[in-house]
Amino acid sequence: MAATQEEIVAGLAEIVNEIAGIPVEDVATEKSFTDDLDVDSLSMVEVVVAAEERFDVKIPDEDVKNLKTVGDATDYILKHQA
Amino acid sequence: MAKIKPSKGAPYARILGVGGYRPTRVVPNEVILEKIDSSDEWIRSRSGIATRHWASPEETVTAMSVEASGKAIADAGIDPGQIGAVIVSTVSHFKQTPAVATEIADKIGSGKPAAFDISAGCAGFGYGLTLAKGMIVEGSAEYVLVIGVERLSDLTDLEDRATAFLFGDGAGAVVVGPSDEPHIGPTVWGSEGDKSETIKQTVPWNEFHVGDVSKLPLDTQGEIKFPAITQEGQAVFRWAVFEMAKVAQQALDAAGISAEDLDVFIPHQANMRIIDSMVKTLKLPEHVTVARDVETTGNTSAASIPLAMERLLATGKAKSGDTALIIGFGAGLVFAATVVTLP
């Protein structure tokens, strides 16, 4: 079953917490991965791969650069999840 | 039909000795920062690299290889004259022909062995080792010298803040010889040419001669830039960590070695972040010693695995007889992984 927007944000929060050590409650849709959450370009790849597995979605390298905020990633997953 | 007598090789092969050469000049991040807008903290956090070695004009591909080979031959306890083949993996020897392997073979006093170069980027050591094993088991050589050597400082764009800090110079060599027991596992190797643009040389050499010179890249002084290695960092990172972890696991499975049996992990020293993430993805147990030579050696492409192997043994972090998983991966894209017993 496809995940809802809330479930995706919560899932991304857990992933970001695991990879970058950011508290789950700090991860919200308007937050920028790089500027607000201290997720650098390489950690972003780890976040993307973890999100792919968790939400059964493919996020190609060329799309990763467009995912600036948690909201961008949430929308992308909502649209592309199997 | 006449019957052709087949060659007769050894039952198995093993690495008998290892040697390394690091150029005298140690280059800290401060020197890199003279030409790029970055910081020591940024470089360390993205790559784990603190220093690298850059070769002087005298520390040529040949000279570094001869030094590393001499140590590997002494470590193996054989006479140079017993070497039947010399395989050199490099992408930074700038004379296309003859192969640099022939000059190295001559300078180490190995007589007239078969000698040739291979081009397999950062997977070059694993490719060379696989060829060496095949030659020994097949019987075309009893002892094979495999050298990974690079002067990547010659192929570094010092004004590119994404790659200027990555590369270093050096040579690593091993002697592979006959064995009654298997000490080199099956190689899991391959190529993904559809990703050839991911890591590449900026400009082909012949562009300088026959190409449109006005299209060549310029540096900040307006001078034509020498070709350099460039890469798509995120794509390389994803491929290296997640796809190469699968290849590493396949190499363990092919050798019948579990992660619990493993003593040492020597991945290509590309970047500490790749190494850390690979270890995590592979779920390697705590007792496995992980090579982290990249911190003080940088990325030396084909030389990185034998250099890291030599340092682990020299510092006592690994010992002779340990079981090690090695994996190389890089431009091509190409990869090669296998399990070996350390010399």
Side-chain angles (χ1 to χ4, degrees):
Chain A
M1 210 172 77
T4 64
Q5 185 179 8
E6 291 72 34
E7 286 166 345
I8 294 169
V9 175
L12 286 173
E14 281 177 28
I15 290 168
V16 170
N17 173 259
E18 156 108 28
I19 288 163
I22 304 297
V24 172
E25 57 273 21
D26 288 0
V27 181
T29 48
E30 74 281 6
K31 293 284 176 72
S32 155
F33 286 107
T34 321
D35 300 335
D36 301 324
L37 301 175
D38 210 20
V39 174
D40 70 22
S41 64
L42 301 184
S43 293
M44 189 62 198
V45 174
E46 295 183 277
V47 169
V48 161
V49 171
E52 282 187 336
E53 282 178 17
R54 184 161 180 150
F55 300 113
D56 194 19
V57 60
K58 281 264 164 272
I59 310 176
D61 292 321
E62 57 269 28
D63 289 342
V64 173
K65 61 181 178 301
N66 300 324
L67 309 180
K68 305 257 188 253
T69 65
V70 176
D72 294 340
T74 307
D75 292 344
Y76 189 96
I77 294 165
L78 265 178
K79 203 166 139 193
H80 293 87
Q81 64 185 344
Chain B
M1 196 191 292
K3 195 164 179 201
I4 297 173
K5 193 173 151 192
S7 55
K8 192 173 180 311
Y12 303 102
R14 72 176 298 167
I15 300 174
L16 297 169
V18 62
Y21 180 80
R22 291 172 170 81
T24 313
R25 184 183 174 200
V26 176
V27 178
N29 288 341
E30 288 68 40
V31 172
I32 306 293
L33 294 168
E34 290 168 9
K35 297 225 171 136
I36 54 168
D37 179 21
S38 190
S39 69
D40 179 53
E41 192 274 331
W42 192 93
I43 293 172
R44 285 176 192 253
S45 75
R46 296 315 192 278
S47 69
I49 299 170
T51 57
R52 72 288 290 145
H53 297 255
W54 281 356
S56 69
E58 291 74 35
E59 290 168 316
T60 60
V61 163
T62 302
M64 294 193 292
S65 299
V66 169
E67 288 291 325
S69 299
K71 292 179 194 167
I73 293 165
D75 191 37
I78 64 162
D79 183 87
Q82 292 175 272
I83 289 168
V86 177
I87 303 171
V88 176
S89 180
T90 184
V91 297
S92 45
H93 174 62
F94 296 117
K95 202 167 174 182
Q96 207 86 39
T97 193
V100 71
T102 59
E103 188 187 0
I104 296 166
D106 179 54
K107 291 212 159 138
I108 59 171
S110 60
K112 299 181 181 180
F116 58 97
D117 299 350
I118 58 172
S119 176
C122 305
F125 178 72
Y127 271 61
L129 183 65
T130 304
L131 291 176
K133 180 181 80 167
M135 291 155 79
I136 290 159
V137 172
E138 180 270 341
S140 48
E142 189 179 11
Y143 295 96
V144 181
L145 180 64
V146 179
I147 302 165
V149 55
E150 302 291 1
R151 279 179 58 112
L152 294 185
S153 59
D154 292 335
L155 280 175
T156 301
D157 179 354
L158 294 175
E159 296 180 346
D160 176 11
R161 70 188 299 277
T163 59
F165 56 88
L166 280 177
F167 303 116
D169 304 336
V174 296
V175 172
V176 188
S179 168
D180 292 330
E181 302 281 334
H183 286 290
I184 302 174
T187 300
V188 178
W189 59 348
S191 65
E192 298 182 41
D194 60 324
K195 300 187 180 74
S196 61
E197 294 290 303
T198 321
I199 309 171
K200 63 177 183 184
Q201 181 176 321
T202 48
V203 186
W205 300 112
N206 58 355
E207 285 294 314
F208 288 80
H209 180 54
V210 296
D212 181 352
V213 179
S214 67
K215 287 185 181 159
L216 292 173
L218 302 177
D219 66 17
T220 49
Q221 309 299 313
E223 300 288 329
I224 291 174
K225 273 188 181 178
F226 199 69
I229 300 168
T230 176
Q231 63 175 7
E232 296 167 19
Q234 283 187 318
V236 171
F237 183 80
R238 187 199 286 222
W239 178 77
V241 172
F242 298 100
E243 297 308 313
M244 290 306 99
K246 291 176 202 163
V247 170
Q249 186 61 52
Q250 287 165 12
L252 282 176
D253 295 344
I257 298 291
S258 74
E260 284 303 318
D261 299 329
L262 199 62
D263 301 307
V264 183
F265 178 45
I266 312 178
H268 163 50
Q269 303 289 298
N271 178 319
M272 197 71 85
R273 294 280 293 276
I274 291 176
I275 297 170
D276 288 340
S277 294
M278 273 184 115
V279 168
K280 207 165 82 180
T281 307
L282 275 168
K283 299 187 172 66
L284 290 182
E286 287 274 317
H287 74 263
V288 176
T289 300
V290 178
R292 297 182 187 282
D293 194 36
V294 68
E295 183 183 0
T296 53
T297 306
N299 177 345
T300 57
S301 190
S304 85
I305 292 175
L307 276 174
M309 184 185 292
E310 184 251 8
R311 182 151 278 176
L312 285 175
L313 289 165
T315 55
K317 288 181 182 159
K319 60 184 190 306
S320 176
D322 277 355
T323 302
L325 168 63
I326 64 172
I327 179 167
F329 45 85
L333 299 170
V334 289
F335 56 88
T338 188
V339 177
V340 303
T341 306
L342 293 182

